[in-house]
Amino acid sequence: DIQMTQSPSTLSASVGDRVTITCRASQSISDRLAWYQQKPGKAPNLLIYKASSLEIGVPSRFSGSRSGAEFTLTISSLQPDDFATYYCQQYNSYSFTFGQGTKLEIK
Amino acid sequence: EVQLLESGGGLAQPGESLRLSCAASGFTFSRYAMSWVRQAPGKGLEWVSAISGSADSTYYADSVKGRSTISRDNSKNTLYLQLTSLRVEDTAVYFCAKEDYETGGHLDHWGQGALVTVSS
């Protein structure tokens, strides 16, 4: 199975900060990488697919990029609603795999 | 509007079986693959199983292979997951999710989840 290594596991930041979360795939997944946001007690919500495509309705402060097997989620200016847990997921091949998650906390 | 509604969760003893259902609406169900993803209490997301839109292909995580069966009834717009030989470590919220393609796409819509608790 493809392993997804996500970092950091926890990130403390302030409103207005620019933050980045990284995911590295253990083998090539092309651009078949998605990012999800999850709030406590809720289902995950798709933010980014195909490494850099913004899902409809997601604010433009969210962006994704790819450099080889390394993928990055960037939030350009943190808003209060953005404090949540973020997961990457590869869908290049079954079994799909998720990163371990990054909890974004208020500093 | 896409809606996914899971049901069938609850309390089971180790070794027992359980069947989860996911009722879908708001899209042409048979055109899209569907997945089950679970989340143990306080843990991350774990993909469990998937089925193609036509139901001719199924996929399972190693953790449930041989103990679970994914199926779908496209005439009823409903997805199922049969879990057998339940283990304590199967305790989780189970989400159904719509994939963006007939097979192998990102998960663009999710249900609210169904809690399965396995305990003696």
Side-chain angles (χ1 to χ4, degrees), chain A residues 89-101:
Chain A
Q89 178 234 341
Q90 70 81 17
Y91 54 96
N92 186 63
S93 62
Y94 294 111
S95 305
F96 290 170
T97 41
F98 290 89
Q100 303 93 321

Side-chain angles (χ1 to χ4, degrees), chain B:
Chain B
E1 178 192 4
V2 172
Q3 291 195 336
L4 300 170
L5 185 62
E6 300 94 338
S7 60
L11 177 64
Q13 294 194 339
E16 290 186 339
S17 299
L18 204 66
R19 189 176 82 156
L20 301 174
S21 300
C22 172
S25 62
F27 64 103
T28 305
F29 185 65
S30 62
R31 290 186 182 175
Y32 297 93
M34 298 291 294
S35 272
W36 288 98
V37 175
R38 69 183 180 182
Q39 186 169 38
K43 302 298 184 182
L45 301 171
E46 179 190 15
W47 176 84
V48 173
S49 184
I51 186 168
S52 63
S54 60
D56 58 0
S57 297
T58 58
Y59 309 89
Y60 298 93
D62 288 344
S63 58
V64 300
K65 197 173 293 183
R67 301 188 298 118
S68 64
T69 302
I70 190 171
S71 61
R72 63 193 296 162
D73 186 335
N74 286 345
S75 68
K76 295 183 178 178
N77 289 352
T78 304
L79 173 73
Y80 304 99
L81 183 68
Q82 178 83 33
L83 298 165
T84 64
S85 302
L86 283 164
R87 305 168 179 169
V88 171
E89 54 265 35
D90 294 320
T91 295
V93 174
Y94 286 73
F95 298 100
C96 68
K98 169 186 169 291
E99 297 187 24
D100 193 49
Y101 300 109
E102 201 278 340
T103 184
H106 57 272
L107 306 172
D108 61 359
H109 291 87
W110 297 63
Q112 86 291 345
L115 176 62
V116 172
T117 303
V118 183
S119 174
S120 56

